[in-house]
């Protein structure tokens, strides 16, 4: 059984995205990357790093003179957990309800539909 990934706020996702691109990184490295995209103050980013460490979503290497941070979960693991949480909260845990709503939207192109059919056709059937 996999460990349960804690809830991650939208701001914390920004920090994780930086660490998934390259890890480990110092707090200053993360701050520099985040400030290219946002107007967050360094203290805000440090607070988010501390929260993620406390939630055990990222780890910190204290063996060096400068602490470095690294993700404890892959991007895929966090995305899956977030998707499951969303489906549970919004669609009562029923993936089919969500898919039906998205498929009935007019925004799907013919190519999107072909790709979805291909994915469904390749999926092994449960026994």
């Amino acid at each position: 059984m996999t460990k349960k990934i804690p809830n991650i706020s939208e701001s914390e996702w920004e920090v994780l995205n930086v660490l998934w691109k390259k890890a480990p990184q110092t707090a200053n490295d993360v701050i520099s990357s985040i400030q290219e995209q946002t107007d967050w103050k360094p203290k805000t980013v440090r607070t988010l790093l501390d929260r993620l460490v406390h939630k055990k979503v990222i780890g910190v290497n204290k063996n060096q003179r400068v602490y470095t941070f690294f993700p404890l979960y892959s991007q895929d693991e966090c995305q899956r957990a977030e998707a499951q949480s969303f489906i549970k909260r919004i669609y009562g845990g029923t993936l089919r309800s969500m898919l039906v709503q998205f498929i009935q939207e007019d925004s799907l192109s013919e190519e999107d539909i072909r790709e979805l059919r291909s994915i469904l056709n390749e999926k092994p059937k449960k026994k």
Side-chain angles (χ1 to χ4, degrees):
M1 178 160 216
T2 59
K3 356 179 219 182
K4 184 175 177 347
I5 298 172
N7 289 334
I8 301 168
S9 73
E10 204 167 319
S11 301
E12 292 165 344
W13 273 97
E14 293 294 326
V15 172
L16 278 168
N17 283 325
V18 168
L19 289 172
W20 283 321
K21 286 180 186 164
K22 180 183 174 226
Q25 290 191 54
T26 66
N28 286 337
D29 292 338
V30 175
I31 290 166
S32 294
S33 293
I34 294 273
Q35 286 183 327
E36 290 174 7
Q37 307 161 34
T38 69
D39 59 354
W40 295 350
K41 303 281 185 248
K43 186 172 181 176
T44 301
V45 178
R46 289 182 190 276
T47 298
L48 292 169
L49 285 167
D50 289 343
R51 275 194 216 158
L52 288 166
V53 168
H54 181 73
K55 290 180 176 184
K56 296 185 172 113
V57 176
I58 64 173
V60 59
N61 184 350
K62 298 179 181 180
N63 296 337
Q64 302 167 335
R65 202 169 56 88
V66 178
Y67 292 178
T68 56
F69 298 88
F70 55 92
L72 295 175
Y73 296 96
S74 71
Q75 187 171 9
D76 185 59
E77 288 173 310
C78 289
Q79 288 171 338
R80 284 180 191 275
E82 188 70 20
Q84 288 171 349
S85 172
F86 173 78
I87 291 166
K88 186 175 182 181
R89 277 190 334 268
I90 307 301
Y91 294 96
T94 307
L95 179 62
R96 187 176 55 79
S97 298
M98 184 191 79
L99 290 174
V100 166
Q101 182 174 357
F102 280 104
I103 289 171
Q104 289 176 342
E105 294 294 319
D106 293 332
S107 59
L108 287 176
S109 69
E110 284 299 318
E111 184 179 336
D112 292 335
I113 293 169
R114 277 194 301 277
E115 186 176 348
L116 287 170
R117 277 196 180 111
S118 172
I119 291 167
L120 289 172
N121 288 337
E122 290 174 16
K123 181 157 178 56
K125 297 192 178 10
K126 290 184 180 178
K127 293 181 179 181

